[in-house]
Amino acid sequence: MTALTQPRASVIVRGSIDEAARVGAALIAALVRERPDAVLGLATGSSPLPLYRALRGVDLARARGFALDEYAGIDHAHPESYHSVIRRDVVEPLGMDPGRVRVPDSAGADAYDDAIAAAGGVDLQILGIGANGHIGFNEPGSGLDTRTRVVALTERTRQDNRRFFGGDVDLVPTHAVTQGLATILSARSILLIAAGRAKADAVAAAIEGPVTSECPASSLQRHPAVTYLLDAEAASGLRGA
Ligand code: GLP
């Protein structure tokens, strides 16, 4: 069934996430060699960091970028706003042009999909995955037809992310703006990266479970070109592993 719904999904498992990330970095390097102004979908969180590290030295000066999500009601200058994180973890170390990279804002949610479309669409979307199967901030219950919008964060996600806010869950914003599942699925290709046992159940549900809004990442089974970059622990729940 997985094979039928995911005709071109490729699951890459390596002993360490750094090794898996190097495979992903090579795919991105090939894309920008062919199309220097390729449009990358950029994810935050700890999962993509090995991929960004592996990309150092790849010429991304002309590449364009659209971030996946942002907290709502956070000052862009806050060190944990995704505006700050994308600048610190991606734009500056990879030498991207800040003028070519956009991060959504709750006030401009409606216009974000139009901006992506006007750029010609996303060539390659980088994704992490939440322990509850969320992608971006599309929490369980998000529909396949969702577009960029403001959403409420679940208690679990706020608890998972409190480490970025001095450990105090009350400082974690209650809402966020996120690309929707339909927005994410409109990317031409997708790279999902996940490491560690804490992600194993979500990864297994995403790849081998039914397509259900209870696991937003399972929607990726409807996409024809997804690559999963996993370490052995994140892959440990897969039946086919
Ligand atoms: C965050 C982000 C997601 C990310 C996920 C996992 O809440 N909005 O884009 O994929 O949670 O985070 P991490 O990679 O730090 O485990």
Side-chain angles (χ1 to χ4, degrees):
M1 170 149 154
T2 304
L4 283 177
T5 51
Q6 289 189 291
R8 275 167 281 160
S10 110
V11 180
I12 290 166
V13 183
R14 294 287 184 272
S16 77
I17 199 60
D18 287 328
E19 291 170 70
R22 281 198 286 277
V23 177
L27 293 173
I28 295 173
L31 170 66
V32 293
R33 259 197 310 275
E34 190 177 311
R35 190 180 308 184
D37 66 345
V39 179
L40 303 177
L42 302 171
T44 51
S46 46
S47 305
L49 294 177
L51 182 59
Y52 297 139
R53 272 199 302 275
L55 275 171
R56 290 187 189 199
V58 174
D59 182 4
L60 296 178
R62 290 180 55 203
R64 293 168 290 162
F66 285 91
L68 257 185
D69 48 14
E70 173 61 292
Y71 293 109
I74 198 169
D75 191 326
H76 291 177
H78 188 293
E80 294 307 329
S81 79
Y82 287 174
H83 279 78
S84 295
V85 172
I86 289 283
R87 183 168 13 85
R88 194 169 61 230
D89 290 348
V90 188
V91 172
E92 287 174 356
L94 298 184
M96 293 183 80
D97 174 355
R100 291 172 181 250
V101 176
R102 276 185 68 159
V103 179
D105 183 278
S106 44
D110 291 346
Y112 202 64
D113 283 33
D114 293 341
I116 292 173
V122 170
D123 291 303
L124 184 143
Q125 176 67 55
I126 298 163
L127 293 177
I129 183 170
N132 64 1
H134 76 213
I135 49 177
F137 273 129
N138 293 283
E139 299 282 30
S142 300
L144 275 171
D145 57 349
T146 46
R147 295 277 169 189
T148 303
R149 69 206 186 290
V150 175
V151 295
L153 298 179
T154 61
E155 179 63 19
R156 174 152 192 199
T157 295
R158 295 183 68 231
Q159 289 288 350
D160 283 350
N161 287 2
R162 80 190 152 104
R163 66 188 193 278
F164 298 113
F165 292 87
D168 185 352
V169 73
D170 291 334
L171 296 180
V172 182
T174 56
H175 289 73
V177 55
T178 183
Q179 289 189 28
L181 295 179
T183 316
I184 291 169
L185 290 172
S186 67
R188 281 182 275 283
S189 62
I190 294 176
L191 267 187
L192 186 150
I193 182 163
R197 195 161 298 274
K199 300 295 173 69
D201 289 348
V203 165
I207 298 177
E208 295 179 340
V211 177
T212 162
S213 63
E214 288 319 298
C215 176
S218 68
S219 64
L220 300 175
Q221 293 180 32
R222 297 277 166 84
H223 192 284
V226 184
T227 302
Y228 299 88
L229 303 171
L230 309 174
D231 71 356
E233 289 192 336
S236 62
L238 293 171
R239 287 190 298 274

